[in-house]
């Protein structure tokens, strides 16, 4: 319940900055300012995580560890958003939907299937993933 209250407050407080951020991203990239990616959460169930777009749309869709020359695809706005963690604000919607918490293990992508399976085997997937990893 505290997660939902806190997420609601953050969305109200940051609604105007989020609109400005979304508009700026659209002006720079001419693409949807919200980036969606399938991640695995509680009970290893897939869900769509929301973030502000920090890379150009032509960036290769590869796992984090296989990404070479990542900085060549990050926009100027994206660098600022990542440095300040403002790119994470849309995840408050994931919290409201009950898919994430503020504190918990990082939600993993399909490219991390080996870790997802280990979490499942150890029972570590019984908790909600968090915006702020433990």
């Amino acid at each position: 319940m505290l997660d939902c209250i806190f997420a609601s407050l953050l969305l109200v407080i940051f609604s105007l900055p989020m609109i400005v951020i979304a508009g700026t991203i659209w002006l720079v990239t001419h693409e949807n300012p919200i980036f969606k990616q399938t991640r695995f959460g509680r009970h290893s169930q897939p869900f769509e995580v929301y973030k502000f777009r920090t890379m150009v749309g032509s960036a290769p869709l590869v796992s984090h560890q296989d990404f070479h020359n990542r900085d060549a695809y990050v926009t100027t706005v994206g660098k600022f958003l990542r440095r300040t963690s403002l790119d994470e604000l849309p995840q408050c919607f994931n919290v409201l939907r009950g898919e994430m918490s503020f504190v918990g293990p990082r939600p993993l992508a399909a490219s991390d299937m080996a870790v997802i399976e280990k979490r499942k085997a150890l029972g570590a997937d019984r908790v909600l993933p968090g915006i702020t990893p433990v």
Side-chain angles (χ1 to χ4, degrees):
M1 189 166 137
L2 286 175
D3 276 342
C4 287
I5 292 169
F6 192 50
S8 298
L9 283 172
L10 280 175
L11 287 171
V12 168
I13 292 167
F14 285 98
S15 59
L16 185 58
M18 287 176 70
I19 291 169
V20 170
I21 290 168
T24 304
I25 292 169
W26 187 84
L27 286 171
V28 169
T29 65
H30 299 289
E31 297 183 62
N32 187 340
I34 302 296
F35 173 76
K36 294 185 278 186
Q37 185 181 42
T38 300
R39 298 285 180 101
F40 291 84
R42 188 176 209 179
H43 304 298
S44 300
Q45 292 299 309
F47 70 98
E48 294 294 315
V49 69
Y50 305 114
K51 294 178 120 186
F52 278 122
R53 180 176 299 282
T54 59
M55 293 185 153
V56 295
S58 61
L61 294 173
V62 297
S63 64
H64 181 73
Q65 59 269 21
D66 294 332
F67 209 115
H68 303 292
N69 200 15
R70 183 177 321 128
D71 293 334
Y73 298 99
V74 178
T75 64
T76 305
V77 174
K79 288 177 187 172
F80 171 77
L81 294 175
R82 286 180 174 199
R83 191 171 48 252
T84 59
S85 296
L86 291 172
D87 62 322
E88 311 280 346
L89 279 174
Q91 289 179 14
C92 288
F93 290 108
N94 290 110
V95 172
L96 288 177
R97 293 175 59 168
E99 299 164 330
M100 292 182 74
S101 181
F102 278 99
V103 178
R106 187 168 236 1
L108 298 172
S111 60
D112 297 312
M113 199 52 75
V115 178
I116 293 168
E117 291 301 323
K118 284 181 184 177
R119 283 185 181 178
K120 189 187 265 186
L122 296 171
D125 72 335
R126 287 187 234 146
V127 297
L128 287 172
I131 296 173
T132 304
V134 200

